[in-house]
Structures are given as structure tokens and as C-alpha cells.
Amino acid sequence: MTTPPSFLHFVGQNAPKFISRLAEAVAIPSVSGVVDYRPDVIRMATWLDSQLKRLNVTTEMVSLGKHTMDGQELPLPPLVLGRIGDDPAKKTVLIYGHYDVQPAEKSDGWDTEPFILVVDEQTGRLIGRGSTDDKGPILGWLNVLEAHKTLGLDLPVNLRFCFEGMEESGSDGLDAFVEAEAAKGATGWFEGVDCVCICDNYWQNSRTPCLTYGLRGLAYFKITVTGPARDLHSGGFGRVVHEPLTDLIVLMGKLVAPDGTILIPGVDDMVPPPDADERAIYEAMDYSIADVDEAVGASVTLSNDKVTTLMGRMRMPALSLHGIEGAFGGPGAKTVIPSSVAGKFSIRLVPPQTPENVEPLVVKHIESEFAKLGTKNRLKVEHMGGGRSWAADYKHWNYEAARRATEAVYRRSPDLTREGGSIPVTLTFAESLGVNVLLLPMGRGDDGAHSTNEKLDRSNFIEGSKLLGTYLYEVAAARAFQS
């Protein structure tokens, strides 16, 4: 099914109107992680609901109950659900996004007011909090709907929408809702969904579009070593007592090697090596060591080989040390022996690893190394939480449709990527609904999501809206190459 030229033309011609609507959305400071902004998050939900209704989408705002933040009980922002189309002859696509944003103040280092969308005519950048994460992509779908409504075009697929307002603060209540609705079967909101599309990630760089088929999971740990009943003076007790910080430093040094190898027996061994087809994905990717150097501001990669570096970022587990509680870290000199210290580290997980199957390996290794110290101090190992990894079948017709759409709009094949971060609801959709999940990014790798001066390039917003619409037409045609 070919994308109507009239749709593509409409999106291009209405760019000023679409940017104006994005400005309206950015102006609502829907910061989910700050108590004082909760009314604004709910106001954003209401605004989004009204926009969808205007575009002939049947909507429902679903309460997820309450939660406690900073000692206050607050209503959770509602889910904004939508549906348009019930043609049994058409595929049904579920669209996910989030309407909440990260905190932002001009004093943080912004060049402009973060909740006023600034259009930089010289660079084409649309600067404002939420422009790329995730209000711009959500509005890209609204742009698709408006084009079809105005032009009198039938949508090529049935659409279901699930927009949440707590993604930046843990997605409270979302997983339970999705699982409960899926369990209802024919009476649930997600009945009949054939695939899922999520627009909440980014290209690897500023040049090449990508499709993302994997996300690493996380297991976060805390090692606490406790000794004396109180902090001690090193002049009186140095080389007299077992010092907790000395023990902890040794333990932290037994977790990961300087070359990135995880020293906990069995953790790296869980992951099978890539086959030739998978390795070819990394070899073809438009990404270089120079891109990493630019991103981190120094030439410090573990390897000078592109494929090794990319696999280290995307398909291998990674253990990172994050900090030590209880140790002296202020300016000046202080000769204290801390009585208790805690080291924190995390492991980014990849299939088939899970927090559950990695935890016992971690605990066993740390306890074994602690026993070798001969110390009289006490050890406590805590698993503080985490999330599971996810990987989809990138040969599925959902990905093939996205690839064809990307080639049609951007005139180049997208990279296939896995990301180091996590979007927990991705796995929830995949497991609860039993369908393929696609991550189809709109923004670029330099958009600065969560950072100061967050932006979405005008070209990505407009061409990205064309991409979303074209993707729906390719999904509609996907039965020709469905496996």
C-alpha cells in the first residue's frame, strides 16, 4: 500500500501549524518528579485528551490511583487511552508515548526559558523541555491523524494509543494496568493489537535513522562494610583496627577489570557470542570511535575496534561502579576512619540474563572475596532493584515495515540498534500482549534529552511525522511479506 503523496505534502505544508501545537505542549510544565508540578502534569493529560478527541479519536482518561512523593499523597497522572478504527480487515497498531518531562530551570544552564519553545531559524532547532522527550514524537502521531482527517483519507490501520504521565518517575501503575487489561482478553483495551510502536528513543548520531530492537536491563547493588561502633581518628587507630573502607575498596576492585571484563564468575559466560548475521549488523552501523570520543569529550574507549565497542554498548553486559557512601569526600583534609561505608554498583543486563539469575552469582562472589580478607568487619550485600532486558525479532514484519518507511522518507536504510538504557514498559507490552514491539525514534542522538537546551530538529519533527504515517501504510501492506 503506497503512502498518498497528498499526506506527505500536507505534513510539509503545515509545518508552522504543527510547530505551534508543539509550543503549546512544551508550555505545560508536566514535570512528574516534582510535587508542585503535579497539577500541570494532569493539565497536560487533559490537553492531550482534547487534542485526540478533536481528531476523531475515542478517548478514555484512566485513573491509576495515588502514590506518595516527598511525604505527600498525590493522584497519579491518568493514562490517556485512545482508539480509532475497528476494521477487522486491517491490522491494529498500539502506539505508546509519555507526556511527562524531566525538571528544568533556566538557572540549570539553559540558554532560554525551558518551557517556552524557541525556534532557532538559523539551525532549525526547536528548543524546549519535552521537545524530543517525548512530546514531539507524540505530536508526530497527532500530525498524522490531522492530515488524514483534513484530507478525508482513511487510516490504513486501526490505531490504539497509550500515553502515560509518569515515565520519567518510574511509570507507577502502568505495568499493572497493561497486565490487567491483557488478562481481560476480548473485553480488554488492547484486544486485537497486532504490534506495538514506541517513539521514545533516538538515533545513534545526527546522521543516520535507526530502528531499535533491544534494551539492556539493570541490576543495582549495594555493598555495606561495617566495623567500629563510631568513626575513629587515624592517628589513634590506623593499623590498629580493620578499616571498613579498606575492605570495601578491595571488594570493589574484584568486580570489574580495567578492560571492562566482569570478574564475577558466570556473568559474562551467560551471553552467547554473536552469529555472523548479528555481527554484520554492527559492522554495517554508521557509527565510529570518533562518535564515542565526541559524545564523551575524550578519547577513552576500551577498544579501537568499532564492532567491539558497539557490542560493548549494546549487546554485552556492563558493570559500572557508581560511588561510596560514608567516606570523606569534602574539600580539605580529614583523617577519619569511617565506621561504616557502602559501595554502589550496577550491572547492565542482556538476554538471557535477568536480575534474578545474576543476583546469586554476585552475592556468592562478594561473600567469597570478603572471606579471603580475614577481616573482623561485617558485610551486607543488597540487591536494590532493577529491570529485565528486552530484545525483539528484528526480522519481523513490523521491523520490515519500519525499514521500508525509513528508506522511503530518508532515502537510506536505517541502522539496527540495541540501546544501553531501558524502557521497562517495552518488555511488559511484549510479554503481556504477545506481539512484536518496535522502537522507532524521531529525534537525533544530539537532542540532549534530560539535559539543558533539549531540542528537536525541525527536519526530524516534520520528516519524522512523515515517517510515522508512512510506517502505518507499510504495516498495512506487511501481509505480503509476513512470515
Side-chain angles (χ1 to χ4, degrees), residues 30-277:
S30 50
V31 179
S32 59
V34 178
V35 169
D36 291 344
Y37 285 107
R38 185 53 52 86
D40 294 301
V41 185
I42 295 172
R43 181 160 62 97
M44 182 67 206
T46 302
W47 181 89
L48 181 56
D49 181 74
S50 66
Q51 292 288 321
L52 289 166
K53 280 187 168 72
R54 190 178 64 81
L55 296 170
N56 297 337
V57 178
T58 300
T59 66
E60 182 178 343
M61 293 178 65
V62 177
S63 171
L64 295 175
K66 298 182 178 181
H67 74 141
T68 300
M69 178 180 287
D70 296 337
Q72 296 188 41
E73 187 177 65
L74 301 171
L76 284 165
L79 286 179
V80 179
L81 303 179
R83 62 187 303 142
I84 182 169
D86 288 291
D87 187 342
K90 295 179 178 179
K91 287 186 173 67
T92 299
V93 181
L94 171 62
I95 307 301
Y96 164 86
H98 66 90
Y99 59 83
D100 64 319
V101 298
Q102 285 280 315
E105 302 286 346
K106 193 170 189 295
S107 59
D108 295 336
W110 284 73
D111 296 331
T112 60
E113 291 294 337
F115 295 106
I116 298 176
L117 188 73
V118 173
V119 181
D120 188 325
E121 297 293 350
Q122 185 173 358
T123 64
R125 293 181 171 185
L126 311 175
I127 304 165
R129 175 59 89 221
S131 56
T132 194
D133 184 24
D134 189 35
K135 293 180 178 180
I138 285 180
L139 266 60
W141 292 112
L142 268 60
N143 299 343
V144 172
L145 292 172
E146 181 160 338
H148 283 77
K149 178 187 176 185
T150 303
L151 296 171
L153 297 172
D154 288 335
L155 287 165
V157 298
N158 306 312
L159 290 176
R160 303 291 180 263
F161 298 99
C162 180
F163 298 135
E164 69 157 320
M166 281 292 288
E167 193 274 346
E168 302 290 5
S169 300
S171 293
D172 286 6
L174 178 61
D175 286 352
F177 173 82
V178 173
E179 291 164 359
E181 287 297 309
K184 293 178 182 178
T187 62
W189 186 268
F190 304 115
E191 171 61 16
V193 166
D194 294 298
C195 64
V196 179
C197 182
I198 296 175
C199 297
D200 189 23
N201 66 310
Y202 314 93
W203 300 356
Q204 292 296 305
N205 50 41
S206 61
R207 305 181 299 271
T208 307
C210 68
L211 311 178
T212 300
Y213 68 96
L215 298 168
R216 291 198 290 194
L218 179 72
Y220 202 103
F221 295 92
K222 179 180 179 180
I223 309 172
T224 303
V225 180
T226 304
R230 65 191 64 85
D231 290 354
L232 303 175
H233 190 297
S234 66
F237 295 97
R239 205 164 181 171
V240 174
V241 301
H242 289 280
E243 299 189 17
L245 185 55
T246 302
D247 292 348
L248 180 64
I249 294 298
V250 173
L251 292 177
M252 298 285 275
K254 299 292 186 179
L255 298 174
V256 61
D259 66 358
T261 302
I262 296 176
L263 300 178
I264 302 169
V267 173
D268 273 348
D269 296 338
M270 288 183 177
V271 184
D275 60 22
D277 286 347

